[in-house]
Amino acid sequence: MVITPQHLDIPKHISLGFSSRKGGMSVAPFEGLNMSSKRGDSQNNVDSNRQLFLNNFGIDESHLAQPVQISRDGIQVVQSPGIYADKDALITQTVGTYLSVLTADCSPILIWSTAHPVIGAVHSGWQGSERDILGQTLSKMMNEFDVKPAALSMAIGPGLCQDHFEVGPEFSKKFPMEYLKPLPGTDRFHFDNNQYLYDTAVKSGVPATQIEVLSYCSYADHELFYSHRRDGEQTGRMMSVIGIHV
């Protein structure tokens, strides 16, 4: 199953989509279309799952630029497929190089320009948001490729919704209170990461009408998505992909 934005115009030269866990070869606890073998699933299952998903774009894994994510703010402009260590965001102008990120609660963000052949893919949980990885990525796309903010569109894919993003008291020093909903009788909060990312994009100049936050929650929508917070260490990963057609 491929999930795509419903309210944005996607140029004909752009392919993008977010995977769910529907279908696939993996068995419990990774049951479904698991995209990573790092938590114990067999590589054969993951390879088969990835190809099932990538068939929707008419590509195989050799077309992917894959960041080795560490939940920080590493950003790299890439010219070719491959593995990119210690990165959580990739940018490219290269036709045929498809950017990817893996998630299981953090928010995947796919970015494209309607005026330039330039795209980006960002992985941002609270650590990335605290380090402003999305704002930095947008700034890099604008400055290095002369992209105007008004030409950018972006989709924030399935991640934790606020109702299931419980955080500690230290978050009142990390983020403005407008993104933190106090939990009665405790010193804890529910954090709205997706709203924070949306506002970051608007403050960077991306028109609000060109930003879509997909209406899913990785924790609540258990039949559709993997969730580390819900299921623990032994759970799968979804993949988000964006590319410029050959």
Side-chain angles (χ1 to χ4, degrees):
M1 179 178 178
V2 180
I3 296 168
T4 56
Q6 298 300 300
H7 307 295
L8 297 176
D9 291 328
I10 301 172
K12 291 182 179 179
H13 65 280
I14 299 290
S15 290
L16 63 87
F18 305 91
S19 78
S20 72
R21 68 184 300 174
K22 288 287 189 180
M25 307 295 293
S26 298
V27 298
F30 312 104
E31 185 173 354
L33 197 69
N34 175 34
M35 296 290 169
S36 174
S37 61
K38 289 188 176 180
R39 300 297 176 179
D41 198 359
S42 80
Q43 190 62 55
N44 284 341
N45 285 346
V46 172
D47 288 345
S48 296
N49 293 341
R50 287 189 169 202
Q51 193 54 56
L52 282 171
F53 177 58
L54 296 176
N55 283 342
N56 292 281
F57 308 99
I59 62 171
D60 59 35
E61 193 165 357
S62 67
H63 293 86
L64 291 183
Q66 304 181 64
V68 181
Q69 300 162 194
I70 57 172
S71 295
R72 295 295 186 269
D73 61 351
I75 305 165
Q76 187 165 341
V77 176
V78 303
Q79 283 80 43
S80 61
I83 307 296
Y84 295 91
D86 302 337
K87 305 300 175 189
D88 282 88
L90 301 177
I91 300 167
T92 194
Q93 280 190 309
T94 304
V95 175
T97 292
Y98 285 68
L99 309 180
S100 65
V101 292
L102 296 175
T103 58
D105 280 333
C106 295
S107 293
I109 308 153
L110 302 179
I111 310 165
W112 63 97
S113 168
T114 57
H116 296 69
V118 59
I119 55 175
V122 181
H123 161 263
S124 187
W126 70 261
Q127 299 99 322
S129 294
E130 183 183 22
R131 291 168 174 81
D132 193 32
I133 188 170
L134 176 58
Q136 291 186 63
T137 302
L138 291 169
S139 179
K140 199 173 189 71
M141 293 175 76
M142 295 173 197
N143 294 333
E144 294 195 17
F145 299 99
D146 194 30
V147 178
K148 304 303 181 187
L152 289 173
S153 296
M154 55 181 276
I156 300 173
L160 279 177
C161 58
Q162 186 175 23
D163 286 347
H164 295 285
F165 206 145
E166 184 175 336
V167 297
E170 71 278 7
F171 272 67
S172 63
K173 298 180 181 178
K174 296 179 182 293
F175 297 97
M177 286 301 298
E178 65 189 282
Y179 302 106
L180 299 168
K181 183 169 68 176
L183 290 174
T186 77
D187 60 355
R188 301 180 69 78
F189 305 95
H190 278 151
F191 172 51
D192 197 342
N193 189 43
N194 283 343
Q195 186 64 49
Y196 185 82
L197 292 166
Y198 176 94
D199 289 349
T200 295
V202 171
K203 290 173 184 175
S204 296
V206 182
T209 55
Q210 292 166 207
I211 306 168
E212 182 173 340
V213 181
L214 276 66
S215 58
Y216 296 100
C217 174
S218 54
Y219 187 105
D221 299 325
H222 60 90
E223 292 185 356
L224 279 178
F225 305 112
Y226 299 106
S227 170
H228 178 273
R229 186 167 290 226
R230 183 190 64 226
D231 299 328
E233 290 288 335
Q234 277 203 311
T235 192
R237 295 293 185 270
M238 287 85 69
M239 179 180 284
S240 305
V241 166
I242 185 168
I244 305 170
H245 293 316
V246 175

